[in-house]
mmCIF file of all heavy atoms in Angstrom:
data_model
loop_
_atom_site.group_PDB
_atom_site.id
_atom_site.type_symbol
_atom_site.label_atom_id
_atom_site.label_comp_id
_atom_site.label_asym_id
_atom_site.label_seq_id
_atom_site.Cartn_x
_atom_site.Cartn_y
_atom_site.Cartn_z
ATOM 1 N N PRO A 1 4.034 -10.070 19.537
ATOM 2 C CA PRO A 1 3.432 -8.841 20.076
ATOM 3 C C PRO A 1 3.812 -7.655 19.208
ATOM 4 O O PRO A 1 4.876 -7.651 18.567
ATOM 5 C CB PRO A 1 4.056 -8.744 21.479
ATOM 6 C CG PRO A 1 5.302 -9.557 21.432
ATOM 7 C CD PRO A 1 5.054 -10.649 20.430
ATOM 8 N N ALA A 2 2.955 -6.654 19.168
ATOM 9 C CA ALA A 2 3.134 -5.538 18.241
ATOM 10 C C ALA A 2 4.480 -4.850 18.410
ATOM 11 O O ALA A 2 5.071 -4.376 17.429
ATOM 12 C CB ALA A 2 1.998 -4.532 18.415
ATOM 13 N N GLU A 3 4.992 -4.804 19.630
ATOM 14 C CA GLU A 3 6.259 -4.108 19.851
ATOM 15 C C GLU A 3 7.438 -4.843 19.209
ATOM 16 O O GLU A 3 8.528 -4.278 19.078
ATOM 17 C CB GLU A 3 6.528 -3.919 21.346
ATOM 18 C CG GLU A 3 6.616 -5.183 22.171
ATOM 19 C CD GLU A 3 5.276 -5.592 22.757
ATOM 20 O OE1 GLU A 3 4.229 -5.140 22.236
ATOM 21 O OE2 GLU A 3 5.285 -6.343 23.756
ATOM 22 N N GLN A 4 7.230 -6.095 18.795
ATOM 23 C CA GLN A 4 8.297 -6.836 18.122
ATOM 24 C C GLN A 4 8.173 -6.799 16.598
ATOM 25 O O GLN A 4 8.977 -7.415 15.902
ATOM 26 C CB GLN A 4 8.323 -8.288 18.606
ATOM 27 C CG GLN A 4 8.792 -8.453 20.037
ATOM 28 C CD GLN A 4 8.969 -9.916 20.418
ATOM 29 O OE1 GLN A 4 9.368 -10.748 19.604
ATOM 30 N NE2 GLN A 4 8.659 -10.239 21.654
ATOM 31 N N PHE A 5 7.187 -6.095 16.081
ATOM 32 C CA PHE A 5 7.090 -5.954 14.625
ATOM 33 C C PHE A 5 8.339 -5.248 14.079
ATOM 34 O O PHE A 5 8.756 -5.495 12.952
ATOM 35 C CB PHE A 5 5.854 -5.156 14.234
ATOM 36 C CG PHE A 5 4.542 -5.871 14.442
ATOM 37 C CD1 PHE A 5 4.466 -7.094 15.083
ATOM 38 C CD2 PHE A 5 3.353 -5.299 14.003
ATOM 39 C CE1 PHE A 5 3.256 -7.745 15.270
ATOM 40 C CE2 PHE A 5 2.130 -5.947 14.183
ATOM 41 C CZ PHE A 5 2.089 -7.164 14.826
ATOM 42 N N LYS A 6 8.900 -4.360 14.878
ATOM 43 C CA LYS A 6 10.099 -3.604 14.499
ATOM 44 C C LYS A 6 11.280 -4.102 15.320
ATOM 45 O O LYS A 6 11.135 -4.395 16.504
ATOM 46 C CB LYS A 6 9.875 -2.114 14.747
ATOM 47 C CG LYS A 6 11.065 -1.220 14.415
ATOM 48 C CD LYS A 6 10.769 0.238 14.707
ATOM 49 C CE LYS A 6 10.780 0.504 16.212
ATOM 50 N NZ LYS A 6 10.717 1.961 16.519
ATOM 51 N N TYR A 7 12.455 -4.231 14.692
ATOM 52 C CA TYR A 7 13.641 -4.596 15.450
ATOM 53 C C TYR A 7 14.845 -3.844 14.890
ATOM 54 O O TYR A 7 14.901 -3.487 13.717
ATOM 55 C CB TYR A 7 13.881 -6.113 15.441
ATOM 56 C CG TYR A 7 14.057 -6.746 14.087
ATOM 57 C CD1 TYR A 7 15.325 -6.869 13.503
ATOM 58 C CD2 TYR A 7 12.968 -7.249 13.382
ATOM 59 C CE1 TYR A 7 15.501 -7.466 12.272
ATOM 60 C CE2 TYR A 7 13.134 -7.861 12.138
ATOM 61 C CZ TYR A 7 14.396 -7.962 11.596
ATOM 62 O OH TYR A 7 14.565 -8.557 10.373
ATOM 63 N N PRO A 8 15.850 -3.557 15.745
ATOM 64 C CA PRO A 8 16.985 -2.745 15.313
ATOM 65 C C PRO A 8 17.977 -3.550 14.475
ATOM 66 O O PRO A 8 18.080 -4.773 14.595
ATOM 67 C CB PRO A 8 17.623 -2.313 16.636
ATOM 68 C CG PRO A 8 17.297 -3.438 17.580
ATOM 69 C CD PRO A 8 15.929 -3.922 17.172
ATOM 70 N N LEU A 9 18.708 -2.852 13.630
ATOM 71 C CA LEU A 9 19.798 -3.425 12.857
ATOM 72 C C LEU A 9 21.080 -2.680 13.204
ATOM 73 O O LEU A 9 21.050 -1.497 13.547
ATOM 74 C CB LEU A 9 19.515 -3.309 11.360
ATOM 75 C CG LEU A 9 18.304 -4.088 10.846
ATOM 76 C CD1 LEU A 9 17.963 -3.649 9.427
ATOM 77 C CD2 LEU A 9 18.562 -5.583 10.891
ATOM 78 N N LYS A 10 22.206 -3.375 13.117
ATOM 79 C CA LYS A 10 23.490 -2.764 13.460
ATOM 80 C C LYS A 10 24.013 -1.944 12.283
ATOM 81 O O LYS A 10 24.349 -2.493 11.235
ATOM 82 C CB LYS A 10 24.505 -3.837 13.840
ATOM 83 C CG LYS A 10 25.859 -3.258 14.232
ATOM 84 C CD LYS A 10 26.884 -4.358 14.478
ATOM 85 C CE LYS A 10 28.245 -3.748 14.795
ATOM 86 N NZ LYS A 10 29.291 -4.785 14.958
ATOM 87 N N MET A 11 24.078 -0.625 12.482
ATOM 88 C CA MET A 11 24.637 0.256 11.468
ATOM 89 C C MET A 11 26.124 0.455 11.746
ATOM 90 O O MET A 11 26.509 0.875 12.838
ATOM 91 C CB MET A 11 23.925 1.608 11.472
ATOM 92 C CG MET A 11 22.470 1.561 11.070
ATOM 93 S SD MET A 11 21.689 3.200 11.099
ATOM 94 C CE MET A 11 22.592 4.050 9.782
ATOM 95 N N ASN A 12 26.965 0.112 10.764
ATOM 96 C CA ASN A 12 28.407 0.346 10.875
ATOM 97 C C ASN A 12 28.685 1.723 10.266
ATOM 98 O O ASN A 12 28.650 1.882 9.042
ATOM 99 C CB ASN A 12 29.170 -0.750 10.141
ATOM 100 C CG ASN A 12 28.860 -2.128 10.711
ATOM 101 O OD1 ASN A 12 29.282 -2.456 11.807
ATOM 102 N ND2 ASN A 12 28.093 -2.921 9.969
ATOM 103 N N VAL A 13 28.926 2.702 11.144
ATOM 104 C CA VAL A 13 28.979 4.105 10.724
ATOM 105 C C VAL A 13 30.409 4.626 10.823
ATOM 106 O O VAL A 13 31.126 4.375 11.803
ATOM 107 C CB VAL A 13 28.040 4.958 11.606
ATOM 108 C CG1 VAL A 13 28.084 6.420 11.162
ATOM 109 C CG2 VAL A 13 26.617 4.415 11.554
ATOM 110 N N ASP A 14 30.842 5.363 9.794
ATOM 111 C CA ASP A 14 32.095 6.116 9.859
ATOM 112 C C ASP A 14 31.900 7.431 9.109
ATOM 113 O O ASP A 14 30.766 7.771 8.736
ATOM 114 C CB ASP A 14 33.278 5.306 9.318
ATOM 115 C CG ASP A 14 33.096 4.874 7.869
ATOM 116 O OD1 ASP A 14 32.307 5.520 7.138
ATOM 117 O OD2 ASP A 14 33.731 3.887 7.443
ATOM 118 N N ASP A 15 32.990 8.157 8.889
ATOM 119 C CA ASP A 15 32.835 9.474 8.265
ATOM 120 C C ASP A 15 32.456 9.390 6.791
ATOM 121 O O ASP A 15 32.140 10.404 6.160
ATOM 122 C CB ASP A 15 34.099 10.312 8.450
ATOM 123 C CG ASP A 15 35.350 9.647 7.888
ATOM 124 O OD1 ASP A 15 35.234 8.523 7.320
ATOM 125 O OD2 ASP A 15 36.442 10.224 8.014
ATOM 126 N N ARG A 16 32.461 8.187 6.211
ATOM 127 C CA ARG A 16 32.069 8.021 4.808
ATOM 128 C C ARG A 16 30.566 7.768 4.655
ATOM 129 O O ARG A 16 30.020 7.911 3.572
ATOM 130 C CB ARG A 16 32.826 6.858 4.178
ATOM 131 C CG ARG A 16 34.341 7.009 4.209
ATOM 132 C CD ARG A 16 35.003 5.729 3.693
ATOM 133 N NE ARG A 16 34.593 4.580 4.480
ATOM 134 C CZ ARG A 16 34.691 3.309 4.073
ATOM 135 N NH1 ARG A 16 35.162 3.057 2.863
ATOM 136 N NH2 ARG A 16 34.312 2.323 4.861
ATOM 137 N N GLY A 17 29.927 7.332 5.758
ATOM 138 C CA GLY A 17 28.511 6.976 5.699
ATOM 139 C C GLY A 17 28.234 5.781 6.589
ATOM 140 O O GLY A 17 28.736 5.718 7.718
ATOM 141 N N SER A 18 27.490 4.812 6.079
ATOM 142 C CA SER A 18 27.163 3.633 6.891
ATOM 143 C C SER A 18 27.001 2.414 6.000
ATOM 144 O O SER A 18 26.763 2.522 4.790
ATOM 145 C CB SER A 18 25.887 3.862 7.707
ATOM 146 O OG SER A 18 24.760 3.971 6.849
ATOM 147 N N PHE A 19 27.128 1.242 6.656
ATOM 148 C CA PHE A 19 26.913 -0.036 5.989
ATOM 149 C C PHE A 19 26.136 -0.914 6.961
ATOM 150 O O PHE A 19 26.571 -1.126 8.098
ATOM 151 C CB PHE A 19 28.248 -0.686 5.610
ATOM 152 C CG PHE A 19 28.091 -2.018 4.926
ATOM 153 C CD1 PHE A 19 27.772 -2.091 3.584
ATOM 154 C CD2 PHE A 19 28.246 -3.207 5.638
ATOM 155 C CE1 PHE A 19 27.637 -3.312 2.941
ATOM 156 C CE2 PHE A 19 28.101 -4.438 5.003
ATOM 157 C CZ PHE A 19 27.798 -4.488 3.655
ATOM 158 N N THR A 20 24.979 -1.427 6.519
ATOM 159 C CA THR A 20 24.100 -2.189 7.408
ATOM 160 C C THR A 20 23.694 -3.491 6.742
ATOM 161 O O THR A 20 23.121 -3.483 5.642
ATOM 162 C CB THR A 20 22.835 -1.374 7.747
ATOM 163 O OG1 THR A 20 23.214 -0.107 8.283
ATOM 164 C CG2 THR A 20 21.968 -2.119 8.755
ATOM 165 N N GLU A 21 23.992 -4.609 7.412
ATOM 166 C CA GLU A 21 23.551 -5.909 6.918
ATOM 167 C C GLU A 21 22.083 -6.103 7.281
ATOM 168 O O GLU A 21 21.678 -5.864 8.424
ATOM 169 C CB GLU A 21 24.408 -7.026 7.519
ATOM 170 C CG GLU A 21 25.863 -6.946 7.079
ATOM 171 C CD GLU A 21 26.715 -8.044 7.692
ATOM 172 O OE1 GLU A 21 26.191 -8.808 8.518
ATOM 173 O OE2 GLU A 21 27.914 -8.129 7.353
ATOM 174 N N LEU A 22 21.287 -6.525 6.313
ATOM 175 C CA LEU A 22 19.848 -6.665 6.504
ATOM 176 C C LEU A 22 19.424 -8.111 6.738
ATOM 177 O O LEU A 22 18.577 -8.392 7.585
ATOM 178 C CB LEU A 22 19.086 -6.124 5.290
ATOM 179 C CG LEU A 22 19.386 -4.686 4.863
ATOM 180 C CD1 LEU A 22 18.548 -4.346 3.633
ATOM 181 C CD2 LEU A 22 19.119 -3.713 5.989
ATOM 182 N N LEU A 23 20.013 -9.028 5.966
ATOM 183 C CA LEU A 23 19.527 -10.405 5.977
ATOM 184 C C LEU A 23 20.648 -11.346 5.562
ATOM 185 O O LEU A 23 21.375 -11.082 4.609
ATOM 186 C CB LEU A 23 18.352 -10.540 4.990
ATOM 187 C CG LEU A 23 17.633 -11.883 4.934
ATOM 188 C CD1 LEU A 23 16.838 -12.119 6.211
ATOM 189 C CD2 LEU A 23 16.694 -11.928 3.727
ATOM 190 N N HIS A 24 20.766 -12.465 6.322
ATOM 191 C CA HIS A 24 21.678 -13.545 5.947
ATOM 192 C C HIS A 24 20.861 -14.773 5.574
ATOM 193 O O HIS A 24 19.797 -15.019 6.153
ATOM 194 C CB HIS A 24 22.592 -13.915 7.125
ATOM 195 C CG HIS A 24 23.560 -12.852 7.502
ATOM 196 N ND1 HIS A 24 24.385 -12.953 8.604
ATOM 197 C CD2 HIS A 24 23.858 -11.650 6.926
ATOM 198 C CE1 HIS A 24 25.142 -11.876 8.694
ATOM 199 N NE2 HIS A 24 24.832 -11.064 7.694
ATOM 200 N N THR A 25 21.369 -15.550 4.634
ATOM 201 C CA THR A 25 20.725 -16.812 4.275
ATOM 202 C C THR A 25 21.761 -17.931 4.344
ATOM 203 O O THR A 25 22.969 -17.685 4.317
ATOM 204 C CB THR A 25 20.117 -16.771 2.870
ATOM 205 O OG1 THR A 25 21.167 -16.737 1.901
ATOM 206 C CG2 THR A 25 19.216 -15.555 2.696
ATOM 207 N N LEU A 26 21.278 -19.169 4.416
ATOM 208 C CA LEU A 26 22.172 -20.316 4.499
ATOM 209 C C LEU A 26 22.852 -20.630 3.173
ATOM 210 O O LEU A 26 23.970 -21.146 3.154
ATOM 211 C CB LEU A 26 21.400 -21.549 4.977
ATOM 212 C CG LEU A 26 20.994 -21.552 6.449
ATOM 213 C CD1 LEU A 26 20.003 -22.673 6.721
ATOM 214 C CD2 LEU A 26 22.223 -21.693 7.342
ATOM 215 N N ASP A 27 22.192 -20.315 2.064
ATOM 216 C CA ASP A 27 22.743 -20.741 0.778
ATOM 217 C C ASP A 27 22.691 -19.684 -0.316
ATOM 218 O O ASP A 27 23.079 -19.963 -1.454
ATOM 219 C CB ASP A 27 22.023 -21.998 0.288
ATOM 220 C CG ASP A 27 20.514 -21.820 0.205
ATOM 221 O OD1 ASP A 27 20.016 -20.756 0.599
ATOM 222 O OD2 ASP A 27 19.835 -22.752 -0.254
ATOM 223 N N CYS A 28 22.234 -18.483 0.016
ATOM 224 C CA CYS A 28 22.144 -17.433 -1.005
ATOM 225 C C CYS A 28 22.829 -16.141 -0.574
ATOM 226 O O CYS A 28 22.569 -15.077 -1.139
ATOM 227 C CB CYS A 28 20.679 -17.150 -1.359
ATOM 228 S SG CYS A 28 19.850 -18.544 -2.134
ATOM 229 N N GLY A 29 23.705 -16.211 0.424
ATOM 230 C CA GLY A 29 24.462 -15.041 0.818
ATOM 231 C C GLY A 29 23.707 -14.066 1.685
ATOM 232 O O GLY A 29 22.908 -14.471 2.538
ATOM 233 N N GLN A 30 23.934 -12.773 1.465
ATOM 234 C CA GLN A 30 23.364 -11.744 2.322
ATOM 235 C C GLN A 30 22.920 -10.539 1.512
ATOM 236 O O GLN A 30 23.301 -10.368 0.353
ATOM 237 C CB GLN A 30 24.370 -11.310 3.383
ATOM 238 C CG GLN A 30 25.572 -10.560 2.852
ATOM 239 C CD GLN A 30 26.520 -10.123 3.972
ATOM 240 O OE1 GLN A 30 26.901 -10.910 4.833
ATOM 241 N NE2 GLN A 30 26.905 -8.847 3.948
ATOM 242 N N VAL A 31 22.104 -9.711 2.162
ATOM 243 C CA VAL A 31 21.629 -8.452 1.583
ATOM 244 C C VAL A 31 21.970 -7.335 2.559
ATOM 245 O O VAL A 31 21.762 -7.478 3.781
ATOM 246 C CB VAL A 31 20.108 -8.480 1.317
ATOM 247 C CG1 VAL A 31 19.659 -7.164 0.679
ATOM 248 C CG2 VAL A 31 19.739 -9.657 0.427
#
């Protein structure tokens, strides 16, 4: 359904900025 085209990602935020994992794979690590 169209409302699932977008989904949230967990932003790890501190006073330096943020770090957000986008994608994990079984054999090629993460982005």
Side-chain angles (χ1 to χ4, degrees):
E3 60 269 20
Q4 290 187 35
F5 289 7
K6 179 181 74 171
Y7 59 90
L9 296 168
K10 181 185 177 184
M11 295 180 65
N12 300 288
V13 180
D14 59 23
D15 58 1
R16 301 174 302 161
S18 67
F19 180 80
T20 305
E21 295 179 356
L22 305 179
L23 185 70
H24 293 174
T25 70
L26 288 168
D27 55 356
C28 295
Q30 68 179 49
V31 182

